Amino acid sequence: PDSYLAGATDGEDFEVHMLNRSDAGTMSCAPSYLPIAAGDNVTFIATDRGHNAGSIPEMTPEGAEVFESRIN
């Protein structure tokens, strides 16, 4: 998987699986909610094809890097 937070090594590591179908519905993520702290690392895994990940600029903390991954 691509690393979007190069150099961020403190904190916990989490994985979010991007799914076509789950109990939460279609085109969802597992877990669907993930409380993280500054310094934590989150890796998005395209478990099923057709997904990408990206930050929402309005919800991105000041000073954090905004990103958008490729599909798949």
Side-chain angles (χ1 to χ4, degrees), residues 3-63:
S3 175
Y4 297 102
L5 299 174
T9 57
D10 297 342
E12 294 187 58
D13 293 320
F14 297 95
E15 291 185 351
V16 175
H17 294 264
M18 298 178 287
L19 308 168
N20 289 344
R21 292 181 187 211
S22 73
D23 293 339
T26 58
M27 301 303 276
S28 59
C29 292
S32 60
Y33 175 79
L34 183 64
I36 61 172
D40 287 350
N41 298 294
V42 180
T43 301
F44 291 89
I45 300 170
T47 304
D48 296 327
R49 296 186 61 80
H51 294 270
N52 68 329
S55 53
I56 300 171
E58 298 81 14
M59 297 178 70
T60 303
E62 186 175 326

